[in-house]
Structure formats: structure tokens, C-alpha cells
Amino acid sequence: MLTVLRRDGTLVELVSSEQTNHVGIEGPQLVGRNIRSMLSPEACRNVKNNLENVFASGKGSSSHHDITLDGRTRNYENRIMPLDGEHALCICRDITEAEVAKHELEMVKYALNNVDEEIYACAVDGTMEYANERFRRRHDLKGDLSRRKVYEFWSIDATRQLWEERLAKIRRDNGAYKYTVRLKNAQGRIVAWDIVAYIIYDHFKEREIVWFFGRDITRRIEHENKVKEMNSILDSILNNIPVYLFVKDPGNEFRYLYWNRAFEEFSHIPASKALGYTDYEVFPSPKDAEHFRRDDLELLRTGERMEFIEEYVSAKGETRIVNTSKSLVPVENRLPLIIGVSWDITEQKNAELERAIRQETAANRAKREFLFNMSHDIRTPMNAIIGFTSLAATHIDNREQVLDYLKKTATASQHLLSLINDVLDMSRIESG
């Protein structure tokens, strides 16, 4: 909208066509009206101040004002130029879209400068085009960037050749490339960055621009390394204890999640053949698998820890005996996991059996030796009794000989009775 204004703000002529009229008043009715009757107080004040500045300085000047019509507010730039001591030419231009774009650009700039990432851009020759505040602070950059190359910030060993190689990788991956860089900072600490690079065609400058978005992952890498270290220590401990340790997932058909080295060695089933599989797929005996599943279901039903001695057949066909303890480990938003610990007591049970066999064999041997010795000891008094009886029958002639025979026979009989009692006692001990 092009108008001629008097020094007091009265519109004396509408120079432009009616189509550029934006004040909501028809053109013929504008002439002779003061801007006070056409604009809001704030807009009028802006235009009036600009008008007075033009007449005071004798030079053109511009300012902004807003006009609201039908509930819509639009932004205008009023550029005023002096014509003579009493009149000035006023050009009002609608800059609403430009103001919106400017506001959006300011919001984008604010966002770019306050994100956690480093955002920067360069031309295809490596010349820096843009860097947000985070990137500038880390590299202590101020002012113009056009004299710097992007590869200067990677490391002291970075070269133009390295940049060309990286640019080739970005092009090879359809204009987008993700990578991780590790380098020493000024304090000698190893830092790591995840970077995503894009090649974008700038239609305004009519050339390609490479944009970089980098995130500091040093703490994450350090944390992950610490977790890996702790997991390695824990795994080393669990794999070196002389007991079975296993974990099952009831929410996934009771498949194994963990299987330690002791379980591998005793069962002859490697973890690679157990992890992700069920008992029916792991153990050679279906009866063993069925038994284990019943125990697992009972544990889920009661929720109470179970302890028992059980047997299973290893991959080599050996019957192993284990003392097992199973319990539930709560997990958020899913069925609890089953953790099991088993002590292999096969050798202990075999040793106990061998010891019992040896003890029984020794007892039988002692019994045989005792009976043999006792039979000899019994024969001696029996022979004496038989001998005395035979002698009495053939040679006893007087009372004294009879008495002597009776004494000797009584002595031999007492000795025989004592031996028989010993045999009876031994028999009771053996049977009891």
C-alpha cells in the first residue's frame, strides 16, 4: 500500500491500487483521514514516531506495526521517505510470512543451541558453514567459521584425505552415514561420540551441504564397559563354582536362560545346546524332562522354594544324582523366573555305597572267622566230655574216680555253655 502522508499523519493521497489496501477502509474514504482513525493506538504510535523521525532527520526510515481485521492480525513494515517539508511517501508492506519465518527460524536456532547434541555443517570441501553453541563451546570457537575445516576438529592427525574418505562413505550410504569416533580430549581422557552425517542439497546456495549430528556417549560407553566388567566377573564366578546353576523362563515354555559351566561338565551338555531350549529338547531321557516339568509347575503353583534329591541321565548315558534347590525370582510385568542350584552328589553316593559294601563284606568275613574259631573252641570241650564219658564207661571202679570225672565233665560243660552263649550273642548282634 503506497500513500502520501502529511506531517500530522493525515492521508492526502492513495497512490497504489485498491488491491493493496489493507486497513479495511475503501480507497475513496481514505483521503483526508488521519492515521489515528485507521490504526490501533500502538500501531498509530509506531507510524507517527517513524514519520516524525523522517521529518526530523530528512532521511527515510522504517518501522513495524500490526493491523487486526476480522480477528486476523498481520504484520507490516512501514517505510517512509520525505517528499518535502510537509509531505512524505509511505510504503506499507505485508511482512507476516516473513515474520512467521523469522520467528520459526529463531525457534530453530534456540532449539539447535540448546539440544544435547553437537550440530554442525560444512561444504563438500570441508569448509565449516555452521556450528551450534554446544559445538562452539567445546572447541572454544567464536566468530566466523569459514576459515576452518571440519576435519580439524576430529583429531590432531586428521587430514584432507581422511575427510575425502569419510565423504565417500557418506555418499556410498545414500547420503547418510552413522559412525563412532574415539579421541583424547585436552585432559587426556578418551571420549567417544556417536555421529550421524547427511548430505543435503541447499537450493538457496545451489550446492551440497554436509550436516553432522553428534552425541557424547563417553559416559554411556564407560557405564557399558563397567557393566560388561561386572558381568564378566559375575559370569566367571558362576562358571567356576562347583555346582549346577540354571535359570528358566516360565513365560517362554520354561526355556533355559542360563546354564553354567559346572552343568556343562557334569551333564556333558554344552550351554549352546541348552540356552533357548526346553527340558524336552535338552535331556536325552523324556522321563527326566517330564519329571523336571512337574517340579517347575509345582513351584509355580506354591511359590515356595523346593529342595529334593533327584536323578537324571547325562548325554553320555551316566546316571547322575543331584541335590537340587529351586526358587522363584520376581520379574516386573511377567511371570517370575525359575533359578535352580544343584549339587552333584553322584560320587558321594557311590562312595557311600562302596563303603557299605566293604563294611558288609568285612562283617561277613568276621562272622565266618568267628564261627570257624568257635567251632574249634566248641569241639575241644565236647571232645573232653565225650572222652570222659567213654573213660567213665570203661574204667571207673571207685567213688573217687567218679567224682573226679564229674568235676572234669562239669568244667568242660560250663566252658561249652559259655561258648554257645557267645555264639548266640554274636547272632543277635548280626541280626540287630
Side-chain angles (χ1 to χ4, degrees), residues 195-305:
I195 298 176
V196 180
Y198 299 93
I199 296 179
I200 299 175
Y201 188 81
D202 188 335
H203 292 277
F204 181 74
K205 295 183 178 181
E206 296 185 343
R207 58 191 175 93
E208 291 179 321
I209 300 294
V210 185
W211 283 88
F212 297 87
F213 299 82
R215 177 179 289 273
D216 188 346
I217 60 170
T218 305
R219 290 186 178 179
R220 191 191 81 194
I221 293 294
E222 291 175 346
H223 176 71
E224 288 176 353
N225 289 338
K226 190 66 176 178
V227 171
K228 288 179 181 177
E229 179 184 357
M230 296 303 298
N231 286 341
S232 177
I233 293 173
L234 180 60
D235 196 51
S236 178
I237 293 173
L238 297 180
N239 275 323
N240 284 280
I241 57 177
V243 297
Y244 304 4
L245 182 63
F246 57 90
V247 179
K248 295 181 183 179
D249 183 4
N252 187 20
E253 300 180 339
F254 295 91
R255 297 180 185 275
Y256 283 95
L257 299 178
Y258 188 79
W259 182 283
N260 76 337
R261 189 177 301 158
F263 212 163
E264 286 184 320
E265 293 174 351
F266 284 103
S267 67
H268 304 290
I269 302 172
S272 60
K273 300 292 185 180
L275 298 181
Y277 296 95
T278 67
D279 287 315
Y280 296 96
E281 299 167 318
V282 173
F283 291 96
S285 171
K287 291 183 179 180
D288 291 341
E290 185 64 32
H291 170 67
F292 298 152
R293 178 58 58 87
R294 286 198 303 269
D295 291 342
D296 293 340
L297 291 173
E298 180 65 14
L299 177 62
L300 280 180
R301 188 186 68 81
T302 63
E304 297 181 358
R305 187 176 65 177

Side-chain angles (χ1 to χ4, degrees), residues 25 39 45 47 74-75 77 103 126 145 149-150 152 154 156 170 192-193 210-211 320 334-336 338 362 368 382 396:
I25 301 173
L39 303 177
R45 183 167 54 253
V47 175
R74 301 194 67 83
N75 310 112
E77 176 189 58
H103 176 69
L145 296 173
K149 300 293 184 181
V150 67
E152 294 176 4
W154 293 348
I156 58 175
I170 299 173
W193 288 78
V210 185
W211 283 88
R320 309 299 303 184
R334 58 180 294 177
L335 286 174
I338 294 176
R368 288 195 301 271
M382 283 294 294
I396 295 178

Side-chain angles (χ1 to χ4, degrees), residues 22 63-67 74-78 93-95:
H22 57 260
S63 65
H64 295 127
H65 65 276
D66 299 335
I67 294 179
R74 301 194 67 83
N75 310 112
Y76 295 90
E77 176 189 58
N78 58 84
R93 183 169 63 94
D94 190 335
I95 59 170

